Amino acid sequence: MSRYVVTGGAGFIGSNLVRSLLREPGARVVVVDNYLTGKPENIHEVRDGIEVLEVDIRDYDDVRRAVRHADVVYHLAAIPSVPRSIENPVPSHEVNVNGTFNVLRACTEERVRRVIFAGSSSAYGDTDVLPKTEEMAPRPKSPYAVQKLIGENYATVFYSCYGLETVTLRFFNVFGPRQDPGSPYSGVISIFMKKLIAREQPTIFGDGMQTRDFTYVEDVAGLCRRAAAAPRSACGRVYNAGNGNRYTLNEVWETLNQIEGTNIPARYGPDRGGDVRDSQADTTAARKYLGHDPQYSLEEGLRRTLEWYRASLTVEQPALAG
Ligand code: UD1
């Protein structure tokens, strides 16, 4: 019987991973979250099957107690968002860097078998070549990117220096159910969903021709679990956890209009500071060493996500015109 700890388990990706872990017979799942960006309602319906520890990863002693007896720790707790980290770098530094250090240190002390760390594609910055491969030199463009890069470097060094089995997965623009659309720092697809359902125009920063490797959350959860089961030889390394495609924001909004049978034009605003222009994962290493096998096309992922938002969002629907 395995005991899993998911830091950030009440967050968007974490709460989807928790559901995926619960499908494993006999799995014991512990959620560590301080509800800074995570939400109790994300884990409400699975609450009876899990243990929840309201712990802030900036507190080492609490983290150490939380990871005690864990076989695998999925370290997803973070303050995300590139623009948030630019506007207010202190909290995200404390959580993403110091918090990650605490988790790695605690897992070493408590002899946790393996830690899966949520890295970020933002670490690459702008590269001359696409898709992006793990060998490329990182060129972070924002505090958030630096923080995630520090986290993955620590994860690698904890493996080489202390023998803690770590795997870093660089997440590429994950989307899906339970992504919070409620803040200006929310992921673009969650914002698009909310706007579409409300029949409002989204604002696209720049010309909308920037590209992202949008990855459906279920594929990311699956990869997290595969990374935990991979042989030890796969540890101490960084892997791209993307889908392998890239789409412009204009294409995403157009696809959503098609799915919904609407024709709502986007508004365009100034470029967003710290933005990477293009992002696409080379998934060769994750496929080869971890068995990564993404199942969801962008369109299929968008359909499922839209269905979830429609059922969950309490947005006032305008009267259908004509
Ligand atoms: C970045 C990382 C991603 C990480 C995420 C965490 C890259 C390539 N990706 O995502 O791996 O998980 O941070 O927060 O660095 N936009 C609009 N209108 C909006 C909102 C956003 O046009 O209302 C645009 C942004 O300017 C950007 C794109 O949509 O060009 C995606 O933005 P967002 O969803 O915030 O994610 P990234 O910053 O790309």
Side-chain angles (χ1 to χ4, degrees), residues 13 28 68 82 110 112 124 151 177 255 271-272 305 310-311:
I13 302 174
R28 294 185 57 200
R68 197 161 287 160
V82 165
E110 293 297 332
V112 170
Y124 287 109
T255 306
D271 287 348
R272 199 176 74 175
T305 307
R310 199 176 283 115

Side-chain angles (χ1 to χ4, degrees), residues 98-120:
N98 301 346
T100 294
F101 180 81
N102 283 342
V103 171
L104 293 168
R105 181 180 160 216
C107 289
T108 306
E109 294 294 331
E110 293 297 332
R111 303 190 179 284
V112 170
R113 183 175 65 77
R114 188 167 294 183
V115 177
I116 310 303
F117 172 60
S120 168

Side-chain angles (χ1 to χ4, degrees), residues 31-294:
V31 163
V32 167
D33 211 298
N34 67 345
Y35 300 122
L36 192 72
T37 57
K39 293 187 197 162
E41 54 265 38
N42 283 344
I43 48 173
H44 180 69
E45 91 205 34
V46 292
R47 184 67 186 77
D48 290 346
I50 61 177
E51 192 183 331
V52 180
L53 301 174
E54 206 170 326
V55 161
D56 187 321
I57 60 166
R58 287 168 287 196
D59 186 318
Y60 177 71
D61 293 332
D62 283 354
V63 174
R64 188 161 173 182
R65 272 189 292 276
V67 302
R68 197 161 287 160
H69 308 304
D71 297 295
V72 178
V73 171
Y74 295 93
H75 176 39
L76 274 54
I79 296 188
S81 172
V82 165
R84 189 199 317 237
S85 78
I86 293 173
E87 280 154 38
N88 200 5
V90 175
S92 60
H93 179 91
E94 286 175 348
V95 171
N96 300 347
V97 178
N98 301 346
T100 294
F101 180 81
N102 283 342
V103 171
L104 293 168
R105 181 180 160 216
C107 289
T108 306
E109 294 294 331
E110 293 297 332
R111 303 190 179 284
V112 170
R113 183 175 65 77
R114 188 167 294 183
V115 177
I116 310 303
F117 172 60
S120 168
S121 65
S122 58
Y124 287 109
D126 291 317
T127 57
D128 301 330
V129 178
L130 293 170
K132 304 186 185 200
T133 62
E134 291 86 347
E135 292 75 34
M136 288 176 176
R139 293 180 186 171
K141 292 180 72 178
S142 63
Y144 177 75
V146 172
Q147 293 156 9
K148 283 291 177 177
L149 190 59
I150 292 173
E152 68 178 52
N153 283 336
Y154 262 134
T156 304
V157 161
F158 267 75
Y159 177 67
S160 59
C161 291
Y162 309 115
L164 175 68
E165 291 187 5
T166 60
V167 177
T168 293
L169 301 174
R170 282 184 179 164
F171 293 170
F172 278 69
N173 290 74
V174 186
F175 73 100
R178 293 180 199 85
Q179 190 168 26
D180 176 14
S183 121
Y185 303 127
S186 298
V188 68
I189 288 189
S190 71
I191 293 173
F192 278 6
M193 293 284 163
K194 193 175 165 186
K195 293 288 184 187
L196 186 70
I197 290 170
R199 300 290 189 266
E200 288 171 6
Q201 292 180 271
T203 300
I204 290 181
F205 303 130
D207 59 5
M209 294 306 286
Q210 64 267 53
T211 57
R212 292 292 182 270
D213 186 340
F214 290 108
T215 309
Y216 190 59
V217 68
E218 199 61 34
D219 281 331
V220 172
L223 178 57
C224 286
R225 294 178 61 192
R226 286 167 197 240
R232 185 179 161 88
S233 56
C235 293
R237 294 185 52 180
V238 172
Y239 299 89
N240 286 340
N243 179 288
N245 291 310
R246 67 191 172 106
Y247 293 91
T248 66
L249 292 188
N250 290 332
E251 285 170 328
V252 173
W253 181 246
E254 195 184 305
T255 306
L256 281 174
N257 265 315
Q258 276 166 14
I259 292 172
E260 191 71 349
T262 49
N263 194 15
I264 306 165
R267 274 201 201 98
Y268 290 84
D271 287 348
R272 199 176 74 175
D275 249 13
V276 168
R277 181 66 185 176
D278 295 302
S279 182
Q280 181 182 17
D282 182 316
T283 58
T284 310
R287 286 175 186 274
K288 185 170 171 191
Y289 297 107
L290 306 177
H292 184 34
D293 186 20

